[in-house]
């Protein structure tokens, strides 16, 4: 008889690492590349570095990063100075502007700072 193995090896596969819930679209990135294949909702945060209320909105979004991850929501920050075509495509006229996209459709839109509870409800 062979002795029972003394070391047990787990046969379960480790969970796939979840990507970040909040990313900033780099100047050279395309929005389509970031949202292609995303199964959950996406919140687009249109901002500019010179915009004071945008900094307030950014802090709120960073505070909601864990909530976004739980609800498989991706938050993408888009600097309108780096991406004027995307801002025009989404008819952004004031900052900050937040746009919630689900299944390729715009389902929510807010101009001005959105509070935590409103954004958390978008992610439900």
């Amino acid at each position: 008889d062979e002795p029972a193995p003394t070391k047990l090896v787990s046969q379960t596969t480790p969970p796939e690492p979840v990507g970040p819930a909040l990313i900033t679209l780099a100047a050279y990135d395309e929005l389509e590349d970031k949202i292609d294949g995303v199964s959950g909702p996406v919140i687009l945060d249109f901002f500019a570095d010179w915009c004071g209320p945008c900094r307030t909105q950014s802090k709120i979004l960073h505070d909601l990063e864990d909530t976004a991850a739980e609800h498989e929501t991706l938050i993408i920050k888009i600097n309108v100075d780096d991406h004027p075509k995307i801002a025009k495509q989404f008819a952004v006229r004031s900052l900050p502007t937040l746009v919630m996209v689900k299944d390729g459709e715009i389902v929510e839109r807010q101009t001005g700072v959105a509070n935590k509870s409103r954004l958390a409800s978008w992610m439900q």
Side-chain angles (χ1 to χ4, degrees):
D1 286 333
E2 286 198 20
T6 56
K7 185 175 178 186
L8 297 175
V9 178
S10 171
Q11 295 300 316
T12 59
T13 311
E16 284 291 313
V18 178
L22 190 151
I23 60 173
T24 300
L25 194 65
Y28 52 84
D29 283 344
E30 294 294 328
L31 181 60
E32 291 77 21
D33 294 342
K34 296 296 178 191
I35 59 177
D36 193 38
V38 173
S39 58
V42 178
I43 295 176
L44 305 176
D45 169 34
F46 292 93
F47 76 100
D49 291 333
W50 46 263
C51 164
C54 296
R55 287 191 283 277
T56 301
Q57 187 67 75
S58 181
K59 180 172 178 359
I60 292 168
L61 289 169
H62 280 282
D63 290 347
L64 284 168
E65 206 167 348
D66 289 342
T67 305
E70 287 170 25
H71 294 285
E72 297 179 4
T73 300
L74 176 63
I75 301 168
I76 303 177
K77 296 176 59 57
I78 301 169
N79 187 325
V80 296
D81 293 330
D82 292 340
H83 297 283
K85 288 181 182 167
I86 298 172
K88 186 176 182 184
Q89 176 186 347
F90 283 89
V92 173
R93 291 179 178 47
S94 301
L95 297 176
T97 293
L98 296 165
V99 177
M100 169 66 95
V101 179
K102 285 184 180 176
D103 302 319
E105 300 288 320
I106 295 173
V107 295
E108 296 279 357
R109 184 180 185 98
Q110 160 116 13
T111 300
V113 176
N115 65 33
K116 254 187 205 180
S117 62
R118 177 171 171 86
L119 291 172
S121 74
W122 284 15
M123 297 178 203
Q124 301 299 318

